C-alpha cells in the first residue's frame, strides 16, 4: 500500500472541547506520517501561485495538489458541526488556525484560565482522613487542565506540591518518596503509585472517610 494514501478511518476526529488536545496532537502526527509537506502547508501557509514567467509548472501543480490534499484531510478530521463553522476558509492553514482559535480562546481568556488553575494548584491541600483516590482525582484534574495551556510547571514541581500537601498521617510515606535517589526524575504517575501502595497501611491505622472531599471543585 502506498504510504501516501490516507485512510479516512485513521484520521482523528475533532468532536469538541473534551477531545481538542488529544485531537491536535494526533492530527499533527497523522498528517506528518503521511507527508511532512502536508503539515507544512497547514502550519506555514497555503500554496501561492508564482507570477514568474519561467515558473516550474510541474512543481506548481504539485504544490497546489498538496495544499488541496491538506485541506481535505483537515475537513475529514472535523465533526460536521465544527466544519460548518470554518468551511468558508479556502486553504488548510486558515481553516486550521480558525479551529485552534475556536478551542483555545483569545489571549485574555487563556490568561484568566491560567491564573485560576495556578490558584487552584496553590490552594490544593489534603484534609485529615480524606481518601487518597478522591483527593488525587482533584489534583489530576487540575494537572490535566494545566497541560491544556502553555503554563509551564515541571513534573518535579508537581510532585513536590502533591507531597507537601499531605497531612500528618502521610508523613512517613511522603518522606520515603522524597528521599529516594531518583526522586527528581519521577513523573507524577510514579509518585501516585508509591502513595497508592502506602495507603493500605495508613487505612489500617486511621479512620478514612469514603465520601468525596468537601473541597471538591468543578474544573473550568
Amino acid at each position: 500500500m502506498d504510504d501516501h494514501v490516507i485512510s479516512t478511518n485513521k484520521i482523528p476526529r475533532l468532536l469538541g472541547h473534551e477531545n481538542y488536545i488529544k485531537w491536535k496532537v494526533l492530527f499533527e502526527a497523522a498528517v506528518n506520517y503521511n507527508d511532512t509537506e502536508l503539515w507544512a502547508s497547514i502550519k506555514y501557509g497555503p500554496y501561492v501561485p508564482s507570477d514568474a514567467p519561467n515558473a516550474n509548472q510541474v512543481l506548481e501543480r504539485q504544490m497546489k495538489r498538496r495544499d488541496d490534499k491538506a485541506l481535505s484531510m483537515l475537513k475529514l478530521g472535523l465533526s460536521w458541526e465544527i466544519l460548518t463553522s470554518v468551511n468558508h476558509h479556502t486553504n488548510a492553514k486558515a481553516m486550521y488556525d480558525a479551529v485552534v482559535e475556536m478551542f483555545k480562546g483569545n489571549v485574555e481568556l487563556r490568561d484568566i484560565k491560567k491564573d485560576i488553575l495556578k490558584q487552584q494548584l496553590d490552594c490544593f491541600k489534603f484534609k485529615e482522613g480524606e481518601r487518597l483516590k478522591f483527593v488525587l482525582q482533584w489534583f489530576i484534574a487540575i494537572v490535566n487542565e494545566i497541560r491544556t495551556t502553555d503554563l509551564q510547571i515541571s513534573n518535579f514541581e508537581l510532585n513536590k506540591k502533591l507531597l507537601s500537601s499531605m497531612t500528618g498521617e502521610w508523613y512517613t510515606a511522603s518522606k520515603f518518596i522524597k528521599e529516594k535517589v531518583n526522586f527528581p526524575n519521577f513523573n507524577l504517575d510514579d509518585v501516585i503509585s508509591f502513595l497508592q501502595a502506602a495507603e493500605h497501611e495508613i487505612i489500617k491505622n486511621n479512620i478514612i472517610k469514603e465520601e468525596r472531599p468537601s473541597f471538591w471543585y468543578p474544573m473550568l
Side-chain angles (χ1 to χ4, degrees):
M1 180 179 176
D2 186 347
D3 285 344
H4 296 285
V5 175
I6 298 173
S7 173
T8 57
N9 62 2
K10 291 185 179 180
I11 299 173
R13 182 67 62 90
L14 177 59
L15 303 175
H17 286 277
E18 66 280 359
N19 80 319
Y20 167 70
I21 297 300
K22 181 178 179 180
W23 173 83
K24 190 171 183 293
V25 172
L26 294 181
F27 181 77
E28 178 179 348
V31 176
N32 270 311
Y33 176 79
N34 281 278
D35 186 341
T36 56
E37 293 184 3
L38 282 181
W39 180 246
S41 290
I42 294 175
K43 187 173 182 179
Y44 299 112
Y47 158 74
V48 178
S50 172
D51 57 1
N54 298 320
N56 186 325
Q57 297 299 315
V58 174
L59 181 60
E60 293 268 305
R61 286 194 295 270
Q62 289 176 342
M63 293 173 66
K64 179 64 168 63
R65 283 198 299 270
R66 184 175 293 119
D67 194 57
D68 290 344
K69 188 175 182 181
L71 180 62
S72 296
M73 189 174 186
L74 180 55
K75 288 181 177 181
L76 290 169
L78 303 176
S79 70
W80 180 250
E81 291 76 13
I82 297 171
L83 179 57
T84 54
S85 299
V86 298
N87 198 41
H88 57 284
H89 295 289
T90 58
N91 64 75
K93 176 174 172 54
M95 184 177 289
Y96 183 80
D97 289 347
V99 171
V100 171
E101 184 63 25
M102 180 188 304
F103 286 94
K104 289 188 70 174
N106 61 41
V107 174
E108 183 179 357
L109 290 177
R110 292 200 296 271
D111 288 343
I112 291 172
K113 179 177 181 178
K114 286 189 291 186
D115 289 342
I116 292 173
L117 288 170
K118 187 64 168 62
Q119 184 179 28
Q120 287 184 339
L121 185 64
D122 290 341
C123 293
F124 173 82
K125 196 168 184 62
F126 271 56
K127 284 190 175 181
E128 198 75 31
E130 297 286 5
R131 284 297 302 272
L132 179 67
K133 65 178 181 180
F134 294 134
V135 186
L136 286 180
Q137 284 173 8
W138 177 34
F139 189 77
I140 292 171
I142 295 173
V143 171
N144 286 341
E145 284 293 323
I146 287 173
R147 287 171 176 166
T148 68
T149 73
D150 58 2
L151 189 60
Q152 299 298 312
I153 302 178
S154 68
N155 272 328
F156 184 56
E157 291 175 297
L158 290 173
N159 292 340
K160 287 197 302 180
K161 174 58 184 176
L162 177 59
L163 295 177
S164 67
S165 302
M166 312 292 283
T167 55
E169 62 202 16
W170 289 91
Y171 173 78
T172 301
S174 298
K175 186 172 183 292
F176 170 78
I177 297 170
K178 286 187 286 190
E179 289 181 349
K180 292 189 74 65
V181 174
N182 55 339
F183 174 66
N185 300 319
F186 280 3
N187 59 43
L188 184 57
D189 288 340
D190 294 327
V191 174
I192 289 174
S193 294
F194 276 113
L195 292 174
Q196 290 171 333
E199 186 181 26
H200 178 70
E201 189 65 27
I202 294 174
I203 288 176
K204 288 197 307 183
N205 299 312
N206 297 276
I207 299 175
I208 305 294
K209 298 178 182 178
E210 293 289 346
E211 70 273 9
R212 176 176 289 183
S214 59
F215 49 79
W216 182 271
Y217 291 105
M219 297 308 298
L220 296 174

